Amino acid sequence: MMPAGSQTGEVASLARQTAAKGRARFRREAPEDRRRQLGEAALRCIVKHGNAGVSVRQIAAEAGVTQGLITHHFGEINELVAYAFDIMSAGLLQALMKAVEEAEPTPRKRLDSFIEASFSPILFDRDVLGVWVVFWGLVLHSPRMSASQREEYSDYCATVEGLIRDLAADEGFSIADTRLAAIAFTALLDGLWLAWCLNPASFKPQEGIQLCRNWVEGLRRGAYA
Amino acid sequence: MMPAGSQTGEVASLARQTAAKGRARFRREAPEDRRRQLGEAALRCIVKHGNAGVSVRQIAAEAGVTQGLITHHFGEINELVAYAFDIMSAGLLQALMKAVEEAEPTPRKRLDSFIEASFSPILFDRDVLGVWVVFWGLVLHSPRMSASQREEYSDYCATVEGLIRDLAADEGFSIADTRLAAIAFTALLDGLWLAWCLNPASFKPQEGIQLCRNWVEGLRRGAYA
DNA sequence: AGGGAAATTATAAGATCGTATAGCAATGAA
DNA sequence: TTCATTGCTATACGATCTTATAATTTCCCT
């Protein structure tokens, strides 16, 4: 209950000092590298414990460092979480784009590849949603997180919009407002992602792909003209 | 740091006893009522502070009672949160259904009324999403919450499916799998809800309504046949 | 090889959290 | 009006949390 030794700081330090002989007691790393390690440790903690995983102590332990290091590199923990958000967001969008670029270079194949990648374990993974849900919760209460979200959502929508616009141009159908159509398609993807992760029994990923193709078919048939 | 007075419990109690003369120091309520009060206090706390609002102390303070009362009525706090989830979920679905029942009794008007209600402040409200996001986070890590979610999502989907099925029957178009179509439409609604609440500048509620009508138009044109 | 910058650890202080326990007191029934 | 039920308060305890500060150690640079 009572703090063990209040005035013994220097003594303990001395003891440690003499005890340390052989090898280095910690690695000194470039701030860039350490920040990334901490960001990734934060993500692992959030995967494991959800909101409860957002804690200086847990993240430091996961990264194998002491708590003070997080303060040193990020100031306050929210900054670390925002950084982790940026890391993850960039990684996911990049993985999706990679799938698109590897597809045959027709608008149809590219969009289809985007859809399939969206329903692959890259995104369709309860752990990934678990991280995302924590981020959403913070976005609603933190201007810093909100700013990140705005930017990342914007990039994501722009990507989707490009895919849709190319398809429309290629197949010769018209869309009244491509921006809005992209928002709807993005919402459909996110909604299916959410529903499946919360309850994987509700439908199969393959059915989700079909539903997205149906949406595109609606677009083709002029439902958004 | 050190506990103030460890053995002074009885003394303090005695002092209070004599001090209390005039009026009742607390209201004694039926368990049913008190449980609901606590559930609603929990929701207010979550609205105000997000995940951080889920705390015995904060909720008790919000409800104007002592912490022990939560233990008394719910055992552990997770049970209270699950109860709050059920309250809120039932309230929202009921509000949506009320809008549907007040519409002209044609399938088309009923579905349209459902859509409009979905984009009204009943649901389209950052506070409401804030609560929901917290629940989603818990659903992913708690079997108890997951069970509630499964049931409530199922009810919600069934409602949507009924509306869609009636429309298809009335207008004479066909749908390959009504259950899947309902899942897609539900996902679209949730996705738009999420996107707008996270960033209300991304589109206007009225545009959301239009996007839903477009989806229905795709259904009508056989994109899901 | 050694000095110094800064990365890292170690430690402390104060808040808050969840739950358990014991006793008080409001209320309906006798 | 008294009594018993049980809703409710009061309090304690141990764990964990964030942040701040000071000492220490690594490693680059000259």
Side-chain angles (χ1 to χ4, degrees), chain A residues 97 99-115 162-171 216 220:
Chain A
M97 286 318 293
V100 169
E101 298 309 333
E102 285 173 350
E104 292 179 36
T106 74
R108 180 165 193 149
K109 291 285 186 188
R110 283 166 59 89
L111 177 55
D112 211 60
S113 184
F114 182 83
I115 292 173
L163 292 170
I164 288 176
R165 190 191 306 278
D166 290 348
L167 184 74
D170 190 58
E171 300 192 354
V216 174
R220 212 173 256 127

Side-chain angles (χ1 to χ4, degrees), chain B residues 5 12 16 26-29 34 66 72-73:
Chain B
R16 265 181 292 101
F26 60 86
R27 267 181 71 91
R28 187 191 181 98
E29 310 220 359
R34 193 59 98 180
T66 51
H72 184 253
H73 284 291

Side-chain angles (χ1 to χ4, degrees), chain A residues 109-125:
Chain A
K109 291 285 186 188
R110 283 166 59 89
L111 177 55
D112 211 60
S113 184
F114 182 83
I115 292 173
E116 286 187 357
S118 295
F119 288 85
S120 78
I122 295 173
L123 257 174
F124 245 56
D125 177 328

Side-chain angles (χ1 to χ4, degrees), chain B residues 40-66:
Chain B
E40 289 172 354
L43 293 176
R44 288 193 301 276
C45 283
I46 295 175
V47 163
K48 270 191 268 191
H49 307 112
N51 288 287
V54 180
S55 134
V56 171
R57 286 176 151 79
Q58 287 184 55
I59 296 170
E62 174 71 33
V65 300
T66 51

